[in-house]
Amino acid sequence: MIVSPVARTGTTDMDGPRSRDGSFATEYMLKSFSPGDSADFAWFEHIVRGPSVAARLLAEPAIRAGLAHDREFSFQKANIPQSAEELSGWLEKRVAVEPMGSTPLRRITYDHPDRIFARTMLQAMADSADAIIREQMKAKADKRIAWLRGTIERTQNPDYRRALAALLMEQEQMRMMLALDEPYAARIAEPPSASARPAWPRRALFLPVFALCGLILGMAAHGVRIAFATP
């Protein structure tokens, strides 16, 4: 699966109020309330394998059932993580998040015997991480909107009221974007898909090992044969 930052358009132009009122207080407020698209994607990248996402995954019976089959060999005993912290550590080892060259794109890979579950797992991880960021940004925007409305009512200076009104408009626009049924922090540029060939066992690794073992066994058998054949 390949993910990329969400390109947001139509945000409020903050240059207007900044040019009309160059005071330090207004400049500070404008910077404090400015949106951070790249920061949201970095946020997504760091929590997609974190405990908050892991907690949501453990709450899904289908995910727990699929984790029971995640083992390298069929004779191994299933070891299902029982806590969000345990699953998060497990995801750090089993799920790779890799940059694609110098682009902001990230490739997320996961090896699992069941192709269908592997795709389901990656999709669930992306959806959960984006939902967590969306919920926290909603709560933050709601608090900011309430504070700005109350402050506007108590402010008499027209320049400050204009700057606060611009900030309020931006936060209401952000709240509207958060209400849309669209990705907020990261969008899926390439949906999860299974590789054409199994990733495990790796032929490049096992063939030389088997060849070496065969050579050693052959030499041992030859040595035993010579030892017994000696009068």
Side-chain angles (χ1 to χ4, degrees), residues 91-164:
L91 291 174
E92 290 286 346
K93 298 177 180 179
R94 303 287 290 175
V95 179
V97 181
E98 303 171 333
M100 300 186 65
S102 58
T103 69
L105 300 175
R106 296 293 183 270
R107 185 190 303 275
I108 306 178
T109 57
Y110 169 49
D111 294 339
H112 191 275
D114 187 348
R115 295 185 175 186
I116 297 178
F117 175 76
R119 293 194 294 264
T120 301
M121 182 70 164
L122 291 176
Q123 185 70 54
M125 290 176 63
D127 293 343
S128 298
D130 198 79
I132 290 172
I133 297 174
R134 180 190 298 272
E135 291 169 4
Q136 295 190 25
M137 293 301 296
K138 279 183 180 180
K140 185 183 294 186
D142 290 340
K143 290 182 179 179
R144 288 177 172 179
I145 289 172
W147 182 87
L148 287 168
R149 287 176 177 173
T151 305
I152 290 175
E153 294 178 358
R154 299 188 300 269
T155 301
Q156 301 299 325
N157 187 300
D159 292 331
Y160 284 174
R161 287 178 62 89
R162 184 164 53 248
L164 291 169

Side-chain angles (χ1 to χ4, degrees), residues 74-91:
S74 59
F75 57 82
Q76 287 182 321
K77 182 179 179 181
N79 185 18
I80 304 176
Q82 299 300 319
S83 65
E85 292 75 14
E86 186 179 352
L87 178 57
S88 176
W90 183 89
L91 291 174

Side-chain angles (χ1 to χ4, degrees), residues 2-225:
I2 300 175
V3 296
S4 67
V6 173
R8 303 196 187 108
T9 58
T11 55
T12 304
D13 184 7
M14 302 305 292
D15 293 333
R18 184 182 289 112
S19 60
R20 290 191 295 267
D21 186 354
S23 66
F24 173 78
T26 305
E27 188 77 14
Y28 175 78
M29 286 189 298
L30 293 173
K31 290 182 179 179
S32 299
F33 285 87
S34 61
D37 298 351
S38 59
D40 292 335
F41 185 69
W43 187 0
F44 171 91
E45 185 179 356
H46 283 85
I47 71 170
V48 72
R49 296 178 294 181
S52 56
V53 170
R56 298 199 176 202
L57 295 176
L58 285 177
E60 297 292 335
I63 298 296
R64 294 181 62 89
L67 292 174
H69 297 88
D70 192 338
R71 48 186 185 269
E72 296 178 350
F73 299 99
S74 59
F75 57 82
Q76 287 182 321
K77 182 179 179 181
N79 185 18
I80 304 176
Q82 299 300 319
S83 65
E85 292 75 14
E86 186 179 352
L87 178 57
S88 176
W90 183 89
L91 291 174
E92 290 286 346
K93 298 177 180 179
R94 303 287 290 175
V95 179
V97 181
E98 303 171 333
M100 300 186 65
S102 58
T103 69
L105 300 175
R106 296 293 183 270
R107 185 190 303 275
I108 306 178
T109 57
Y110 169 49
D111 294 339
H112 191 275
D114 187 348
R115 295 185 175 186
I116 297 178
F117 175 76
R119 293 194 294 264
T120 301
M121 182 70 164
L122 291 176
Q123 185 70 54
M125 290 176 63
D127 293 343
S128 298
D130 198 79
I132 290 172
I133 297 174
R134 180 190 298 272
E135 291 169 4
Q136 295 190 25
M137 293 301 296
K138 279 183 180 180
K140 185 183 294 186
D142 290 340
K143 290 182 179 179
R144 288 177 172 179
I145 289 172
W147 182 87
L148 287 168
R149 287 176 177 173
T151 305
I152 290 175
E153 294 178 358
R154 299 188 300 269
T155 301
Q156 301 299 325
N157 187 300
D159 292 331
Y160 284 174
R161 287 178 62 89
R162 184 164 53 248
L164 291 169
L167 290 171
L168 177 60
M169 183 183 301
E170 181 183 345
Q171 293 302 310
E172 290 179 341
Q173 185 180 23
M174 180 180 294
R175 188 63 178 82
M176 179 187 67
M177 292 172 57
L178 290 166
L180 297 176
D181 187 18
E182 297 178 355
Y184 177 76
R187 69 180 183 88
I188 297 179
E190 182 68 29
S193 60
S195 58
R197 297 181 178 180
W200 181 265
R202 297 181 175 87
R203 292 185 178 181
L205 175 63
F206 278 90
L207 287 180
V209 172
F210 288 154
L212 179 60
C213 292
L215 177 62
I216 295 174
L217 290 175
M219 293 176 63
H222 180 69
V224 172
R225 180 179 180 182

